[in-house]
């Protein structure tokens, strides 16, 4: 099979190379999937740079999210059957075939095509656990979402709106505003031209946001601390802005807000039953027309390095998906 591999650490466009490698074989409890589409995620950028918390031995395949068809089963597999269309997550799926543990795959919602389904797992699971498991978002609360036109941000906007929250989305420029608005944001802030803190305070009568969903970090986090409500919750999802901020515990004490970390992969490792339940709920919301992955661009398998580089450069809107077969 063909697989993209990181052959050394650096920028994705410079370190990804195509390779012909032996077809993988599923072991006990594993499934072999013919990959149809792979959604690009920011961890793919970090994997290429050698900056991710997991560092596979070089050379290795990136890609952590797919849609595909089950074509082989290891011993003891009971969750899926050959021929099932599935979505799933595991490092190493940017290839024509991939092996995943059976607990890492889920039925692909029938209402989504392969491209959309490939973008369902990471972004929506992350947003679901951030909003509901960590922040306990309630109907009628104010939700502030940074990078609201991005992959995980647009997922958080959709899920916040579906939960009955009033959603304020922050985008990087005016061209991205309509994406956040279509995802369900009631108010969209263009941070290149507007003062995020001032707009949030004006839109909330000075009270601030009850929940903040922050995949950006750095300046975005600092802005959030200035417009967080009494008993507000800031969910730290990632640091796509490139800066890992320090948390001022004294400020959190004085203003009475909480800072909550979210590492979704830990749920997959330690509480997989919660991941299963979230997938069931996400599928229900898809079927009801309440959520649908925002796909900004689809590229051919041969163009995967440029796609990962585009995400690294912050030049994407919605999800960028690689069509494999």
């Amino acid at each position: 099979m063909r697989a993209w591999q990181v052959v050394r650490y650096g920028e994705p466009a410079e370190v990804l190379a195509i390779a012909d490698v032996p077809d993988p074989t599923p072991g006990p409890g594993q499934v072999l999937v013919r990959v149809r589409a792979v959604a690009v995620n920011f961890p793919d950028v970090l994997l290429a740079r050698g900056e991710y918390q997991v560092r596979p031995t070089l050379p290795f395949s990136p890609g952590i999210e797919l849609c595909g068809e089950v074509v082989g089963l290891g011993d003891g597999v009971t969750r899926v059957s050959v021929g099932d269309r599935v979505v799933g997550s595991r490092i190493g799926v940017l290839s024509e075939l991939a092996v995943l543990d059976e607990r890492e795959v889920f039925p692909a919602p029938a209402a989504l095509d392969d491209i959309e389904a490939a973008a369902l797992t990471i972004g929506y699971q992350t947003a679901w656990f951030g909003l509901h498991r960590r922040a306990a978002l309630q109907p009628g609360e104010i939700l502030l979402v940074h990078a609201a036109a991005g992959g995980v941000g647009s997922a958080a906007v959709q899920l916040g709106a579906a939960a009955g929250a009033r959603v304020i989305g922050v985008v990087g420029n005016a061209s991205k505003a309509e994406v956040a608005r279509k995802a369900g944001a009631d108010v969209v802030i263009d941070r290149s031209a507007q003062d995020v803190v001032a707009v949030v305070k004006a839109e909330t009568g000075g009270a601030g946001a009850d929940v903040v969903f922050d995949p950006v970090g750095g300046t975005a986090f600092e802005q959030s601390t200035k417009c967080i409500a009494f008993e507000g919750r800031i969910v730290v999802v990632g640091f796509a802005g490139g800066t890992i901020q320090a948390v001022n515990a004294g400020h959190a004490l004085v203003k009475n807000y909480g800072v909550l970390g979210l590492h979704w992969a830990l749920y997959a490792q330690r509480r997989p039953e919660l991941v299963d339940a979230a997938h069931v709920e996400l599928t229900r919301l898809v079927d009801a027309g309440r959520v649908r992955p925002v796909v900004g661009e689809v590229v051919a398998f041969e163009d995967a390095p440029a796609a990962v580089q585009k995400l690294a450069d912050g030049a994407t809107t919605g999800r960028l998906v690689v069509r494999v077969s």
Side-chain angles (χ1 to χ4, degrees):
M1 70 169 185
R2 295 182 303 163
W4 282 103
Q5 293 185 330
V6 175
V7 295
R8 64 183 186 279
Y9 294 130
E11 287 304 293
E14 300 171 358
V15 302
L16 276 165
I18 194 75
D20 289 318
V21 299
D23 291 355
T25 301
Q30 294 184 320
V31 299
L32 178 65
V33 176
R34 185 173 305 282
V35 182
R36 295 181 177 179
V38 173
V40 180
N41 288 271
F42 200 73
D44 294 319
V45 176
L46 299 178
L47 282 164
R49 292 172 176 168
E51 297 174 352
Y52 197 52
Q53 55 259 44
V54 178
R55 297 185 67 175
T57 302
L58 292 169
F60 66 89
S61 291
I64 63 171
E65 181 176 26
L66 61 71
C67 175
E69 178 187 353
V70 176
V71 294
L73 304 175
D75 292 341
V77 172
T78 59
R79 281 168 62 98
V80 296
S81 301
V82 170
D84 286 354
R85 192 173 75 115
V86 296
V87 298
S89 174
R90 184 186 181 97
I91 293 174
V93 303
L94 192 55
S95 55
E96 293 177 321
L97 294 167
V99 168
L100 299 88
D101 292 343
E102 66 171 326
R103 292 227 54 126
E104 296 171 330
V105 298
F106 310 91
L112 301 180
D113 62 25
D114 293 341
I115 298 298
E116 294 168 324
L120 180 68
T121 304
I122 299 294
Y124 284 88
Q125 285 274 348
T126 297
W128 178 267
F129 276 87
L131 298 181
H132 294 291
R133 183 76 184 180
R134 301 298 283 139
L137 179 69
Q138 300 299 308
E141 288 194 312
I142 304 297
L143 169 64
L144 176 64
V145 179
H146 291 282
V152 69
S154 60
V157 170
Q158 289 183 6
L159 289 176
R166 182 166 184 255
V167 183
I168 301 174
V170 181
V171 298
N173 56 61
S175 67
K176 297 183 177 184
E178 189 58 25
V179 173
R181 196 169 287 112
K182 285 184 177 179
D186 299 286
V187 177
V188 179
I189 303 172
D190 173 5
R191 61 178 170 80
S192 70
Q194 295 173 280
D195 183 323
V196 173
V197 175
V199 175
V200 172
K201 287 185 176 180
E203 291 290 338
T204 61
D210 299 294
V211 173
V212 176
F213 185 87
D214 180 15
V216 179
T219 299
F221 178 84
E222 295 303 321
Q223 292 169 336
S224 300
T225 65
K226 296 175 182 177
C227 59
I228 188 71
F230 172 75
E231 291 195 326
R233 293 86 75 198
I234 301 174
V235 183
V236 176
V237 182
F239 313 101
T243 300
I244 300 177
Q245 68 276 356
V247 177
N248 186 335
H251 193 260
L253 182 154
V254 170
K255 291 194 69 174
N256 212 61
Y257 66 86
V259 178
L260 306 168
L262 173 63
H263 181 189
W264 172 75
L266 285 181
Y267 285 101
Q269 295 169 18
R270 300 186 182 188
R271 297 293 304 276
E273 76 280 4
L274 296 179
V275 177
D276 290 346
H279 182 73
V280 169
E281 179 61 16
L282 290 171
T283 300
R284 184 188 70 79
L285 290 170
V286 167
D287 291 342
R290 302 300 303 275
V291 304
R292 195 173 201 94
V294 177
V295 177
E297 186 177 357
V298 181
V299 303
F301 186 64
E302 291 74 15
D303 297 325
V308 181
Q309 187 64 54
K310 189 171 185 178
L311 182 63
D313 295 338
T316 61
T317 299
R319 300 304 304 274
L320 202 164
V321 180
V322 177
R323 188 188 300 277
V324 180
S325 64

